[in-house]
Amino acid sequence: MSLRIAWIALLFALVAASLAQQASVIKEIVIKGNVRVTNTAILAAMRTKVGAPFVQETLDQDKRGLEDLGFFSAVAVSGIPLDSGTWQVTILVTEWPEIKEIRVTGNTVVKTDDIVNVLTLKTGNVYNTNAVRSSADAIRKLYSSKGYYVQIPDFSPLKDSPNTLNIQLLELKVGTVGYQGNGRTKDWVMKRLIKTKPGDTFSEVKWANDIRRLLNTQWFDTVHSLADDQRELGMIDLTADVKEAKTGQFNVGVQLDPSSSFAGVIRLSENNFGGTGKSVGLNFIQATQGDGPSVDLDYTNPFFDSKDTQLHMALYSRLVYRFSNSFLGTGGSDLTSASRYTERRTGATLGFNRPVTDYLSLGLSGRLETIKTSQNNGLTQPNFISQDGTVGGLTFGATRNRRDVDVDPSRGDWMQLQVEPGYADITKSTIISNGVPLQGGTGKGMFGRGVLEYRKYFSPGPPRGTDLEAPRNVVAFRAKFGVITGQVPFFEQFFAGGSDTVRGYAEDRFWGKQTLISTLEYRKPIQKSFNVIGFVDYGGAWGGYKSIADFRQSEKLKLHLGYGVGLSFRTPLGPIRLDLGFDERGRSRTHFLIGNSF
């Protein structure tokens, strides 16, 4: 009997629960306060539906979902029981205002129009907090792309003008700018090199250029950036930490000259004279084979005026070894097998170079030289070229340098355009090929020269960062094109072949009034100052003086392939490079170069 009573009680409980659930059904949903956001859009964002059971937890979730839409400054969701035992759900929303004006404050380095253009919120839209986040991210990305940092304290409608969207920006500013580690270099020199000033909007690019500029002077072994942004909100303190290098040299020794003979050398130089950044130098080279010494005197002032114009002057009397043998070179014809041919160039240069931006500089220089040719076996020997006289010119140039560091670049590019109107006065001429004089001789005349050169550097992995001298695997490319108009002396032509143009061929193997040189190198560092290099050269010169002996020339474009491997060293005396090159026929020639590669 008791069991039957229990089952009857359970049945009554289930019926009661069913009736209660039917009585809790939502009969109506009322939406109030919306003007621009439609009822359909609001209902689509809700789980609560007409005919569904009334569940308070579901209403709470709908409230959070409507808030997450970003269109409302306030959302209220409530349920009202009706007489029939059903429920009415009321949604009361307060919309954000329509944006009729966008006001940007605090920006100094990025234009207001540029900021407005990246916003996802536009005039005519309803203010939306979700769009605020994406718009703020877009502003930060815009600043970052230009090398700046920004904070956004406020991105909301004005209280006294709700239809005006106020975007308040706080750009990161420079607090203090300092330097440390310079003992010899004057403070005023450091200040001239560092362009970032206190109070500036902090530019990561500008500060990186300052560090690069310090390192490129080669007055310092290391240059590191120190930054502290903890002192004050929106401020950063900067310090350039340097370690000075040895800039003065006095060397007496022996080296190989371009004719592959030994030469005595005396070098006296100071690249940071008195800590003022000025450089002075004296080079004296006397070869064992005679023809007199080569002497160079030069002076450079990088701070000639308040615009950081660089002044360079040089006086010199140099021997140029024309068609010289390469060290240990083999293969190919060589005009110097019977006699040695040199040009003595005595003259002076004066040049000015002024930076226009951090990357672009303009230059103007002039030169005046006298040229005298000599040959041990006499001026009447066949296959000898001699044009003595005077030559001068003015060179106008523009250089864009975007390399990470000049000494050993791993990223960036470098481009230079030079135009030179020139004048030559040849007073003595002996140009003989197998006893037959070639075109060209004495006389006066004007000529014009134009040269365009481009260099590009690639390196895997991220940029070097603050350690600009860190060794990197580098792919380097160079292309150079030149053209000459007018009748120029033989020695003013473009020459190709040898250590700095097309390796695997004799020095000056090709000549002409037009040239095209291209080089591709892969540089693998073994140590910080030692690289193994694989290279491919492709180039030549054409359209100039005619062929002489076995040095056959082309009147039209004709390029030649060279390839090989090499070693480069950075020494206290300067960079040194040794290359083993092969020509198109597989014949080898070793090239020795004192000086910087590209």
Side-chain angles (χ1 to χ4, degrees):
M1 186 69 178
S2 59
L3 181 61
R4 182 181 298 176
I5 293 173
W7 276 106
I8 293 171
L10 178 61
L11 179 61
F12 274 107
L14 291 173
V15 170
S18 176
L19 293 174
Q21 185 176 17
Q22 292 177 6
S24 299
V25 170
I26 297 172
K27 181 179 181 180
E28 183 182 15
I29 298 177
V30 177
I31 301 174
K32 298 180 180 180
N34 58 312
V35 178
R36 299 172 186 84
V37 182
T38 65
N39 288 353
T40 302
I42 293 175
L43 291 172
M46 298 174 58
R47 297 175 61 186
T48 300
K49 307 294 182 183
V50 173
F54 177 84
V55 179
Q56 184 62 46
E57 182 180 353
T58 303
L59 289 183
D60 294 339
Q61 292 176 354
D62 287 340
K63 179 178 183 297
R64 291 191 293 270
L66 291 174
E67 290 172 340
D68 290 342
L69 291 177
F71 290 111
F72 311 113
S73 60
V75 177
V77 180
S78 60
I80 302 174
L82 302 176
D83 294 339
S84 60
T86 57
W87 289 80
Q88 179 190 77
V89 174
T90 301
I91 310 297
L92 179 61
V93 298
T94 302
E95 290 184 348
W96 287 111
E98 179 186 357
I99 300 171
K100 296 183 178 180
E101 179 187 358
I102 298 176
R103 181 181 300 174
V104 181
T105 61
N107 58 308
T108 62
V109 294
V110 178
K111 296 179 180 179
T112 298
D113 289 345
D114 293 339
I115 294 172
V116 172
N117 286 338
V118 301
L119 299 178
T120 53
L121 277 173
K122 306 291 185 181
T123 55
N125 295 156
V126 175
Y127 178 81
N128 185 292
T129 54
N130 292 331
V132 166
R133 287 189 287 270
S134 59
S135 292
D137 289 342
I139 293 175
R140 296 187 190 98
K141 184 177 180 181
L142 175 63
Y143 268 78
S144 178
S145 68
K146 298 178 181 295
Y148 297 100
Y149 295 90
V150 67
Q151 295 175 333
I152 309 176
D154 185 33
F155 203 125
S156 62
L158 289 173
K159 292 182 179 180
D160 56 351
S161 179
N163 298 115
T164 300
L165 174 60
N166 181 56
I167 304 175
Q168 181 185 352
L169 304 179
L170 180 61
E171 297 172 341
L172 186 61
K173 298 289 185 180
V174 177
T176 62
V177 179
Y179 41 86
Q180 61 187 33
N182 58 308
R184 183 173 61 257
T185 305
K186 304 294 185 183
D187 287 347
W188 68 265
V189 172
M190 300 294 292
K191 292 178 181 178
R192 291 288 289 268
L193 291 171
I194 298 175
K195 306 301 181 182
T196 301
K197 304 300 180 185
D200 288 352
T201 301
F202 174 66
S203 168
E204 186 178 36
V205 174
K206 186 175 182 179
W207 178 242
N209 285 335
D210 289 338
I211 298 300
R212 181 173 66 100
R213 191 178 298 108
L214 289 168
L215 187 60
N216 285 339
T217 63
Q218 301 187 49
W219 306 335
F220 310 105
D221 280 332
T222 60
V223 181
H224 294 113
S225 168
L226 305 178
D228 181 10
D229 60 357
Q230 302 300 312
R231 186 189 69 169
E232 181 182 343
L233 181 64
M235 302 292 289
I236 186 170
D237 296 332
L238 303 172
T239 302
D241 181 34
V242 302
K243 179 182 178 183
E244 289 187 314
K246 181 181 178 181
T247 56
Q249 292 186 0
F250 176 67
N251 302 312
V252 178
V254 176
Q255 73 174 35
L256 286 170
D257 67 20
S259 66
S260 300
S261 62
F262 287 101
V265 178
I266 298 176
R267 287 194 178 97
L268 176 63
S269 66
E270 172 56 69
N271 293 331
N272 189 9
F273 185 76
T276 63
K278 299 175 183 177
S279 67
V280 292
L282 166 65
N283 287 338
F284 179 92
I285 302 176
Q286 175 63 66
T288 58
Q289 296 187 15
D291 291 330
S294 290
V295 181
D296 286 78
L297 292 169
D298 62 79
Y299 167 81
T300 301
N301 182 357
F303 309 114
F304 179 70
D305 61 14
S306 61
K307 302 294 185 181
D308 290 344
T309 299
Q310 182 186 80
L311 164 69
H312 178 76
M313 298 186 297
L315 298 173
Y316 52 87
S317 180
R318 304 168 183 156
L319 280 181
V320 177
Y321 293 84
R322 191 63 67 191
F323 311 118
S324 59
N325 289 309
S326 295
F327 179 55
L328 300 180
T330 59
S333 301
D334 193 338
L335 285 179
T336 61
S337 58
S339 61
R340 186 162 50 86
Y341 165 32
T342 62
E343 296 168 358
R344 176 167 292 279
R345 291 176 174 253
T346 302
T349 62
L350 175 64
F352 299 91
N353 193 72
R354 171 174 291 183
V356 179
T357 68
D358 286 335
Y359 303 108
L360 179 65
S361 62
L362 301 178
L364 171 64
S365 63
R367 66 178 175 118
L368 182 63
E369 298 177 326
T370 60
I371 289 84
K372 183 174 177 59
T373 309
S374 64
Q375 185 188 41
N376 286 349
N377 294 332
L379 296 180
T380 59
Q381 180 172 338
N383 307 327
F384 179 66
I385 303 168
S386 170
Q387 284 181 307
D388 297 347
T390 303
V391 65
L394 290 174
T395 299
F396 304 89
T399 304
R400 189 188 69 184
N401 184 2
R402 301 190 297 190
R403 298 175 292 187
D404 54 358
V405 61
D406 292 350
V407 178
D408 184 20
S410 67
R411 288 174 180 265
D413 61 4
W414 180 95
M415 184 169 63
Q416 184 178 76
L417 173 64
Q418 290 186 325
V419 177
E420 180 191 26
Y423 173 79
D425 181 7
I426 303 303
T427 58
K428 181 180 179 181
S429 176
T430 307
I431 306 178
I432 301 174
S433 175
N434 297 322
V436 180
L438 297 179
Q439 180 183 2
T442 60
K444 302 177 182 180
M446 300 288 295
F447 63 90
R449 184 198 319 268
V451 178
L452 177 63
E453 183 171 354
Y454 178 74
R455 305 171 184 178
K456 179 69 176 179
Y457 306 88
F458 307 88
S459 181
R464 280 171 164 162
T466 57
D467 188 2
L468 294 176
E469 291 190 297
R472 298 293 294 268
N473 295 332
V474 178
V475 176
F477 171 76
R478 174 181 64 174
K480 179 180 179 181
F481 174 73
V483 61
I484 297 174
T485 61
Q487 186 62 42
V488 297
F490 181 86
F491 51 77
E492 285 294 314
Q493 295 178 109
F494 296 111
F495 290 88
S499 59
D500 197 36
T501 51
V502 186
R503 286 158 286 191
Y505 298 85
E507 300 293 327
D508 306 331
R509 172 61 182 83
F510 311 104
W511 60 76
K513 296 170 70 173
Q514 298 181 73
T515 186
L516 178 61
I517 304 293
S518 61
T519 297
L520 184 66
E521 293 188 348
Y522 177 71
R523 302 169 180 174
K524 175 71 175 179
I526 304 302
Q527 295 178 346
K528 186 174 182 179
S529 57
F530 175 42
N531 287 336
V532 175
I533 301 167
F535 64 85
V536 176
D537 300 332
Y538 190 57
W542 66 93
Y545 283 76
K546 295 181 180 180
S547 303
I548 297 177
D550 292 333
F551 274 42
R552 301 301 177 188
Q553 305 302 312
S554 175
E555 289 294 324
K556 298 181 179 180
L557 172 66
K558 186 176 182 180
L559 305 180
H560 306 271
L561 177 67
Y563 57 93
V565 295
L567 302 173
S568 68
F569 308 86
R570 289 172 59 186
T571 72
L573 304 180
I576 296 176
R577 181 155 172 168
L578 184 66
D579 294 317
L580 175 63
F582 296 86
D583 65 11
E584 295 166 321
R585 300 182 182 180
R587 297 174 297 185
S588 66
R589 184 174 293 269
T590 304
H591 303 277
F592 182 74
L593 176 66
I594 299 176
N596 285 313
S597 179
F598 73 95

